């Protein structure tokens, strides 16, 4: 299914994933009312370089015009950072891919600027993050994609939030997007079989309203069709003999 990754390549992803997680921990402290998306992008770009990694989005394969995607409020993913100044109560999602020792890792999270989410924001963000953890927990060693997808879908359905179905998780490692696709809905026991050594990015996206998406005029930004708030959480995960190892986390969960 995937091109086999050597132990050295998996180790490079482990190291790259820790760098990504470390950058995210620092980024969370940079996010506050009054800071612009462009300032945050510049901060992330500098941190990536400081760690000896590369901002994958800016490379010729991707040609995204920034180091990180910053998607605010009704924006779901792939938004280009602008001079917009973050306000208290904005829901903002960060999605980042870095390349380290030629291997790629991919992660995303959503937070509320100012740290005081209202009830519906808290519900959306919590449900989306929990659905990611449910997807990871469905991996008990070799696993079918449908087992992961069904676990994510159940959490999002139980929370009665909209599931973004047109965008999916994916294999990751040598390339930013590898086979197989990892949908955020599906049926247990179906789909491609993942084996120990495979690495995938699991990335549920959910909304407080419609599941329908709209593409922005810039050709990148994807927003909710109805303007409702969106959230996005993502980890790069290694399939092991008896479970999963989260690579984009500073400490193993
Ligand atoms: Mg991804």
């Amino acid at each position: 299914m995937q091109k086999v990754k050597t132990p050295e390549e998996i180790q490079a992803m482990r190291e790259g994933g820790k760098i990504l997680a470390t950058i995210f921990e620092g980024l969370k402290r940079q996010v506050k009312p009054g800071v612009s998306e462009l300032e945050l992008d510049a901060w992330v770009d500098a941190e990536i370089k400081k760690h000896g990694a590369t901002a994958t989005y800016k490379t010729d394969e991707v040609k995204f015009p920034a180091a990180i995607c910053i998607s605010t409020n009704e924006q779901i993913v792939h938004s280009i950072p602008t001079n917009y100044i973050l306000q208290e109560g904005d829901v903002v999602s960060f999605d980042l891919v870095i390349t380290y020792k030629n291997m790629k890792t991919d992660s995303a999270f959503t937070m509320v600027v100012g740290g005081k989410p209202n009830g519906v924001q808290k519900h959306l963000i919590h449900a989306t993050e929990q659905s990611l953890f449910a997807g990871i927990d469905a991996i008990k060693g070799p696993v079918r994609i449908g087992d992961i997808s069904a676990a994510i879908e159940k959490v999002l359905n139980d929370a009665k939030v909209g599931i973004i179905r047109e965008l999916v998780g994916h294999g990751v490692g040598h390339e930013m997007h590898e086979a197989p696709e990892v949908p955020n809905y599906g049926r247990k026991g179906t789909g491609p079989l993942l084996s120990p050594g495979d690495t995938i990015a699991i990335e549920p996206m959910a909304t407080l309203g419609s599941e329908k998406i709209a593409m922005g005029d810039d050709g990148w930004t994807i927003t909710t069709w109805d303007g409702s708030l969106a959230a996005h959480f993502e980890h790069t995960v290694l399939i092991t003999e008896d479970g999963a190892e989260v690579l984009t986390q500073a400490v193993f969960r």
Side-chain angles (χ1 to χ4, degrees):
M1 159 83 58
Q2 291 189 348
K3 193 172 140 199
V4 172
K5 294 167 182 95
T6 65
E8 291 75 23
E9 288 172 333
I10 288 172
Q11 182 56 26
M13 290 181 72
R14 203 173 267 127
E15 292 169 20
K18 284 205 172 65
I19 291 170
L20 206 171
T22 304
I23 293 171
F24 271 2
E25 287 312 308
L27 175 60
K28 285 172 190 167
R29 290 191 290 273
Q30 302 294 317
V31 177
K32 49 186 92 126
V35 67
S36 76
E37 293 176 349
L38 280 174
E39 286 169 322
L40 293 174
D41 176 61
W43 185 88
V44 169
D45 204 13
E47 286 293 306
I48 293 169
K49 291 194 183 95
K50 208 186 286 176
H51 284 94
T54 305
T56 312
Y57 292 152
K58 291 174 105 174
T59 58
D60 282 346
E61 306 107 86
V62 187
K63 292 195 171 74
F64 185 73
I68 187 166
C69 298
I70 305 181
S71 305
T72 304
N73 296 327
E74 77 283 359
Q75 297 173 341
I76 308 167
V77 283
H78 304 167
S79 305
I80 302 167
T82 68
N83 57 9
Y84 174 74
I85 293 173
L86 295 177
Q87 311 288 316
E88 173 109 22
D90 279 342
V91 174
V92 57
S93 300
F94 298 93
D95 189 357
L96 179 62
V97 180
I98 64 167
T99 307
Y100 184 70
K101 297 182 179 173
N102 287 321
M103 299 303 288
K104 288 152 182 85
T105 48
D106 189 355
S107 188
F109 70 95
T110 299
M111 65 184 283
V112 173
V113 178
K116 292 191 244 25
N118 65 29
V120 289
Q121 291 171 340
K122 205 183 279 181
H123 176 73
L124 173 69
I125 291 170
H126 181 75
T128 311
E129 186 171 32
Q130 288 305 306
S131 76
L132 169 59
F133 293 149
I136 295 167
D137 287 343
I139 305 169
K140 315 278 188 203
V143 64
R144 295 222 174 257
I145 291 292
D147 296 344
I148 299 170
S149 301
I152 294 169
E153 182 181 18
K154 182 175 189 325
V155 172
L156 297 177
N157 277 342
D158 287 352
K160 298 186 163 52
V161 293
I163 302 173
I164 302 300
R165 294 167 196 269
E166 291 174 65
L167 303 167
V168 295
H170 48 89
V172 62
H174 295 113
E175 306 297 334
M176 185 169 91
H177 290 141
E178 297 179 355
E181 290 192 342
V182 186
N184 296 308
Y185 63 97
R187 270 192 308 125
K188 265 187 191 171
T190 65
L193 182 69
L194 292 169
S195 307
D198 285 338
T199 46
I200 56 168
I202 305 176
E203 53 174 323
M205 289 153 261
T207 80
L208 281 174
S210 168
E211 300 185 344
K212 219 170 142 190
I213 63 174
M215 171 64 82
D217 295 337
D218 60 13
W220 286 103
T221 306
I222 294 176
T223 62
T224 56
W225 179 259
D226 58 2
S228 60
L229 293 177
H232 179 208
F233 283 86
E234 176 174 24
H235 273 308
T236 295
V237 172
L238 168 71
I239 315 302
T240 65
E241 293 296 333
D242 57 0
E245 181 183 339
V246 179
L247 299 179
T248 41
Q249 198 157 252
V251 181
F252 180 59
R253 189 179 141 251

